[in-house]
């Protein structure tokens, strides 16, 4: 017999990176929130790589920060190794990445959440969502307790019917040592959702004292730069990472034992991560390549655990030892935690609105790996949007829907809800059409006003941003008047050096970050203006609202496939309709003619 427990306004299920951002921002916006977790000791765990940021992912972290989220601040407080990726390329694809002391990150996240006003942490395994008349009413835990709320946000990560594989051994688990959320999958299916199955994995962790670092090349930390726009510079306790490579012996060991893995023996049917493949996948799919790079990354300052990035595997434990010992630097390595593969359920994300509310059940939001994504950053980005929109819904305010021209978060969510995914989705700079404008360094300029409007960015923070923008504009105007400085900057000379070469003093009120903004804006002015025109044209199409009442079957000239997809997905705008797979430019033209006749536009 179930027993009713406490009521909340918003319930967030799952304390991974999506859930933490959703619960934090909801409470910050003044809403009574509960965050449910199977274990309150494992909040914001880094099950895979102990790092934040990376290619395009660093953009997402800085965007989360610009909307008032917590990931960037905690990265700055727990980083142990810093790198700016893609420096040899243009600034649009520069991406910050930090190796994290994962125990410190998790503890600091737990501390922030425990101290947050309006937020309660609840230990419990949610096994069911309570739905009445196609609207979510709350959740039920495995022990029979019921909790009611106006909005529920599901962020279960890999726990949704999770199954761990090590060789031919398979056992239920959301991650190593933790039970999965099995009943929740059945509850979602009962509510009418279509679910799929995905797969990911981790490499072994080894004892750093058993690694011969002399056989590896050193990857030193760069001068640290904060991820967060909203806090002062923090000094990192940096340590080195290292690089080695697999060998021909590694390749032979893996090839000889492929049938002992769940993936290649046929036990795993789920789709794996294309862009972060297991060592088995690498060797099978790239047969001519004899070696693969391996990064040896410490998991913290005060731990012996080292993450062996690049050899994610589902091989049996004894074969894992043989494989690890075939790699230079790891010939005597002691494995502290075995690698494993994990498959789990996800909800096809085309069943979501751009707000991340589900189409089938009102007031139910989904965020993170349940939507088919991979990565802490992609999860956190969805979490903050789901949390903000859940609060805006309760406050009866317009939703926050970021366009593809606004943010990488906009690209991420639009891809998911419009195109969907059948494999773990990972963000890349190549996915963003307007990446010259969507740089990691200007995320605050692009998004903080949205945060201020939503109530997640303070008056003090927005005043500081507006002052920065004013300084940038002033300095650009001054430099344009000084042709010598402008000439140097457009030739690729840095802001500071351009002033020195022109015999001028650098303005005292211009810091490094502001100077960089001025430098990039002036150097790429022509390209940026061209992109502004593209964005303006894009926004025209995005501003043509379609609504959910159009009967696409009645529009003559549309392909049958297009009618079915448009009817199922119900795009909100003409721009969104144009990005649906299978909907052609000719179909868009037909819809435009239909709208002109219907609305007189």
């Amino acid at each position: 017999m179930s027993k009713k427990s406490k009521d909340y306004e918003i319930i967030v299920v799952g304390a991974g990176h999506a859930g933490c951002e959703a619960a934090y921002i909801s409470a910050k916006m003044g809403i009574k929130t509960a965050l449910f977790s199977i274990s309150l000791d494992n909040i914001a765990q880094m099950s895979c790589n102990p790092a934040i940021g990376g290619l395009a992912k660093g953009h997402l972290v800085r965007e989360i920060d610009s909307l008032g989220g917590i990931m960037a601040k905690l990265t700055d407080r727990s980083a142990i190794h810093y790198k700016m990726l893609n420096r040899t390329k243009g600034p649009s694809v520069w991406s910050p990445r930090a190796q994290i002391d994962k125990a410190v990150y998790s503890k600091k996240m737990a501390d922030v959440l425990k101290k947050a006003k309006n937020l309660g942490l609840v230990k419990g395994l949610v096994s069911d969502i309570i739905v009445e008349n196609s609207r979510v009413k709350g959740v039920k835990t495995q022990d029979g307790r019921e909790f009611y709320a106006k909005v529920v946000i599901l962020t279960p990560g890999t726990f949704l019917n999770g199954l761990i594989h090590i060789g031919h051994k398979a056992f239920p688990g959301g991650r190593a040592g933790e039970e999965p959320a099995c009943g929740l999958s059945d509850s979602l299916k009962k509510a009418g959702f279509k679910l799929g199955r995905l797969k990911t994995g981790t490499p072994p962790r080894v004892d750093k004292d058993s690694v011969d670092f002399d056989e590896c090349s050193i990857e030193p930390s760069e001068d640290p730069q904060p991820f967060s726009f909203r806090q002062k510079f923090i000094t990192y306790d940096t340590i080195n990472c290292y690089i080695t490579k697999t060998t021909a012996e590694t390749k032979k060991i893996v090839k000889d034992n492929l049938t002992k893995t769940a993936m290649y023996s046929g036990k795993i049917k789920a789709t794996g991560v294309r862009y972060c493949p297991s060592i088995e996948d690498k060797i099978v799919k790239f047969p001519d390549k004899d070696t693969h790079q391996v990064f040896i990354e410490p998991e913290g300052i005060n731990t012996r655990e080292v993450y062996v990035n690049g050899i994610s595997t589902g091989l049996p434990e004894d074969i894992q030892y043989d494989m690890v010992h075939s790699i230079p630097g790891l010939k005597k390595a002691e494995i502290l935690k075995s690698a494993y593969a994990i498959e789990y359920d996800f909800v096809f994300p085309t069943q979501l609105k751009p707000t991340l509310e589900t189409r089938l059940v009102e007031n139910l939001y989904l965020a993170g790996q349940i939507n088919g994504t991979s990565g802490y950053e992609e999860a956190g980005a969805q979490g903050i949007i789901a949390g903000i929109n859940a609060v805006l819904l309760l406050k009866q305010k317009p939703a926050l829907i970021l366009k593809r021209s606004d943010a990488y978060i906009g690209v991420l969510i639009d891809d998911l809800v419009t195109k969907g995914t059948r494999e773990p989705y990972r963000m890349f700079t190549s996915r963003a059409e307007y990446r010259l404008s969507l740089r990691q360094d200007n995320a605050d300029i692009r998004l903080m006003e949205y945060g201020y409007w939503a109530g997640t960015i303070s008056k003090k923070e927005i005043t500081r941003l507006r002052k920065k923008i004013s300084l940038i504009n002033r300095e650009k105007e001054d430099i344009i008047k000084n042709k010598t400085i402008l000439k140097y900057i457009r030739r690729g000379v840095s802001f500071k050096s351009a002033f020195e070469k022109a015999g001028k003093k650098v303005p005292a009120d211009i810091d490094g970050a502001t100077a960089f903004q001025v430098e990039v804006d002036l150097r790429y002015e022509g390209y940026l203006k061209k992109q502004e025109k593209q964005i303006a044209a894009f926004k025209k199409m995005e501003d043509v609202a379609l609504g959910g009442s159009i009967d696409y079957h009645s529009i003559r000239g549309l392909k049958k496939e297009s009618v079915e997809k448009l009817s199922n997905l119900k795009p909100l705008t003409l721009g969104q309709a144009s990005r649906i797979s299978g909907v052609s430019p000719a179909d868009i033209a037909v819809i435009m003619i239909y709208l002109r006749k219907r609305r007189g536009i």
Side-chain angles (χ1 to χ4, degrees):
M1 187 176 182
S2 65
K3 49 185 178 180
K4 182 180 175 181
S5 194
K6 205 169 181 179
D7 287 357
Y8 297 91
E9 290 184 274
I10 292 178
I11 285 175
V12 180
V13 178
H17 301 278
C20 288
E21 292 292 342
Y24 172 80
I25 209 70
S26 170
K28 185 178 182 180
M29 294 172 76
I31 296 298
K32 187 180 178 184
T33 306
L35 176 61
F36 281 69
S37 179
I38 296 171
S39 170
L40 298 181
D41 296 324
N42 294 322
I43 288 172
Q45 280 288 299
M46 294 184 175
S47 309
C48 201
N49 196 354
I52 295 289
L55 298 177
K57 292 170 176 282
H59 293 66
L60 290 173
V61 178
R62 299 199 113 197
E63 290 179 354
I64 292 168
D65 181 70
S66 299
L67 291 172
I70 193 65
M71 181 177 278
K73 282 189 174 182
L74 296 189
T75 297
D76 287 336
R77 296 172 191 173
S78 56
I80 54 177
H81 186 278
Y82 182 87
K83 203 86 174 170
M84 181 67 79
L85 305 181
N86 270 351
R87 276 194 188 274
T88 58
K89 300 180 180 179
S92 64
V93 294
W94 288 15
S95 299
R97 181 183 187 273
Q99 201 71 23
I100 299 298
D101 188 317
K102 69 178 196 177
V104 171
Y105 187 94
S106 178
K107 182 181 184 304
K108 287 187 179 295
M109 180 66 84
D111 289 344
V112 166
L113 298 179
K114 287 172 184 175
K115 293 174 184 176
K117 292 181 181 179
N118 308 308
L119 180 60
L121 303 181
V122 182
K123 182 178 179 180
L125 175 56
V126 172
S127 59
D128 202 356
I129 52 171
I130 302 169
V131 178
E132 295 177 9
N133 299 319
S134 298
R135 173 174 287 194
V136 74
K137 295 294 183 180
V139 299
K140 185 185 294 185
T141 57
Q142 195 175 49
D143 59 10
R145 290 177 295 163
E146 291 182 357
F147 297 80
Y148 289 87
K150 297 172 183 176
V151 175
V152 173
I153 304 173
L154 297 182
T155 67
T158 59
F159 282 72
L160 203 60
N161 216 14
L163 186 65
I164 291 174
H165 296 269
I166 302 176
H168 288 166
K169 292 190 299 182
F171 49 92
R175 58 178 164 238
E178 297 184 62
E179 61 181 310
C182 295
L184 200 50
S185 284
D186 293 335
S187 182
L188 288 166
K189 289 175 184 176
K190 184 179 177 182
F193 290 99
K194 184 182 177 185
L195 275 62
R197 197 91 167 134
L198 295 176
K199 173 256 178 189
T200 188
T202 69
R205 272 74 158 179
V206 303
D207 188 334
K208 71 176 181 181
D209 293 337
S210 66
V211 178
D212 185 353
F213 292 107
D214 290 338
E215 290 195 354
C216 308
S217 59
I218 296 176
E219 185 78 0
S221 177
E222 295 180 358
D223 290 337
Q225 299 176 33
F227 269 76
S228 176
F229 295 101
R230 299 182 295 119
Q231 66 181 15
K232 293 181 180 179
F233 182 82
I234 291 176
T235 302
Y236 294 61
D237 290 324
T238 59
I239 58 177
N240 291 326
C241 293
Y242 296 83
I243 300 175
T244 183
K245 288 184 177 180
T246 62
T247 63
E249 183 186 356
T250 313
K251 183 176 180 178
K252 185 177 187 306
I253 290 168
V254 175
K255 284 184 71 175
D256 289 348
N257 292 281
L258 282 174
T259 57
K260 296 179 182 177
T261 67
M263 177 63 77
Y264 283 94
S265 66
K267 283 196 171 184
I268 292 180
K269 305 294 185 184
T271 307
V273 186
R274 186 196 309 184
Y275 304 105
C276 188
S278 66
I279 188 64
E280 299 96 284
D281 275 344
K282 290 178 184 177
I283 284 167
V284 170
K285 292 176 181 176
F286 306 101
D288 297 331
K289 194 171 176 63
D290 290 326
T291 64
H292 297 272
Q293 203 165 51
V294 176
F295 294 88
I296 299 177
E297 302 169 335
E299 298 213 329
I301 296 288
N302 299 311
T303 179
R304 291 163 58 190
E305 250 179 65
V306 173
Y307 185 90
V308 189
N309 190 351
I311 55 168
S312 171
T313 185
L315 286 163
E317 289 161 313
D318 57 333
I319 307 300
Q320 288 186 37
Y321 262 100
D322 293 340
M323 177 186 69
V324 167
H325 291 165
S326 70
I327 299 170
L330 302 176
K331 292 175 182 176
K332 295 181 180 180
E334 187 67 31
I335 294 177
L336 297 177
K337 290 181 181 176
S338 298
Y340 62 86
I342 181 169
E343 51 180 340
Y344 55 93
D345 289 346
F346 79 107
V347 174
F348 287 104
T350 50
Q351 298 168 97
L352 300 172
K353 301 175 184 177
T355 59
L356 296 183
E357 183 186 15
T358 68
R359 296 179 184 276
L360 284 173
V361 178
E362 289 182 51
N363 294 19
L364 175 65
Y365 291 75
L366 309 183
Q369 285 177 285
I370 190 173
N371 292 337
T373 58
S374 67
Y376 314 135
E377 303 82 2
E378 289 89 344
Q382 294 169 73
I384 194 168
I385 294 297
I388 289 172
N389 280 328
V391 174
L392 293 176
L393 177 76
L394 294 181
K395 292 184 176 182
Q396 297 183 319
K397 291 185 177 181
L400 175 63
I401 300 176
L402 297 175
K403 298 182 176 69
R404 299 180 74 90
S405 56
D406 290 326
Y408 273 78
I409 295 177
V411 175
L412 165 68
I413 294 175
D414 185 68
D415 279 352
L416 292 174
V417 304
T418 304
K419 302 174 184 177
T421 188
R422 292 182 178 273
E423 64 182 27
Y425 177 102
R426 179 178 176 179
M427 179 51 70
F428 289 101
T429 53
S430 59
R431 295 190 189 273
E433 304 93 321
Y434 310 110
R435 55 186 171 275
L436 185 57
S437 301
L438 306 183
R439 303 188 309 274
Q440 55 84 25
D441 60 89
N442 68 1
D444 56 341
I445 294 173
R446 292 186 280 112
L447 297 179
M448 271 195 184
E449 290 287 356
Y450 287 112
Y452 183 61
W453 166 80
T456 61
I457 292 293
S458 70
K459 180 71 174 177
K460 182 180 178 181
E461 289 167 337
I462 203 67
T463 299
R464 189 164 58 239
L465 172 72
R466 289 168 180 170
K467 181 182 177 182
K468 174 182 174 180
I469 293 171
S470 178
L471 285 174
I472 290 170
N473 291 335
R474 182 207 74 190
E475 201 56 34
K476 282 161 62 175
E477 289 173 6
D478 289 349
I479 290 174
I480 287 170
K481 293 173 186 175
N482 189 316
K483 300 299 180 182
T484 303
I485 296 176
L486 181 62
K487 176 184 69 176
Y488 283 126
I489 286 178
R490 286 186 170 163
R491 285 180 179 176
V493 177
S494 71
F495 182 91
K496 182 181 177 182
S497 297
F499 271 79
E500 291 172 349
K501 285 178 177 289
K504 300 288 184 180
K505 287 185 178 180
V506 176
D509 56 354
I510 301 294
D511 62 19
T514 305
F516 184 77
Q517 289 277 313
V518 173
E519 185 184 316
V520 172
D521 284 354
L522 291 174
R523 187 173 298 153
Y524 295 95
E525 185 178 25
Y527 296 103
L528 287 166
K529 284 183 177 177
K530 184 178 178 180
Q531 190 147 103
E532 284 172 10
K533 290 181 180 178
Q534 293 172 339
I535 290 171
F538 163 79
K539 285 185 174 178
K540 281 185 181 179
M541 192 173 279
E542 288 297 305
D543 289 340
V544 178
L546 296 178
S549 61
I550 294 178
D551 179 8
Y552 293 99
H553 292 87
S554 69
I555 302 177
R556 296 180 60 185
L558 288 180
K559 300 193 306 290
K560 184 177 179 182
E561 178 191 5
S562 300
V563 170
E564 290 176 357
K565 290 188 173 181
L566 290 163
S567 299
N568 289 332
L569 295 176
K570 296 181 175 60
L572 298 182
T573 68
L574 196 63
Q576 189 184 2
S578 71
R579 294 186 293 276
I580 296 173
S581 175
V583 176
S584 68
D587 293 319
I588 297 300
V590 169
I591 296 171
M592 278 295 293
I593 293 169
Y594 168 82
L595 291 174
R596 288 193 185 108
K597 288 180 179 178
R598 181 176 172 180
R599 300 174 184 173
I601 61 173

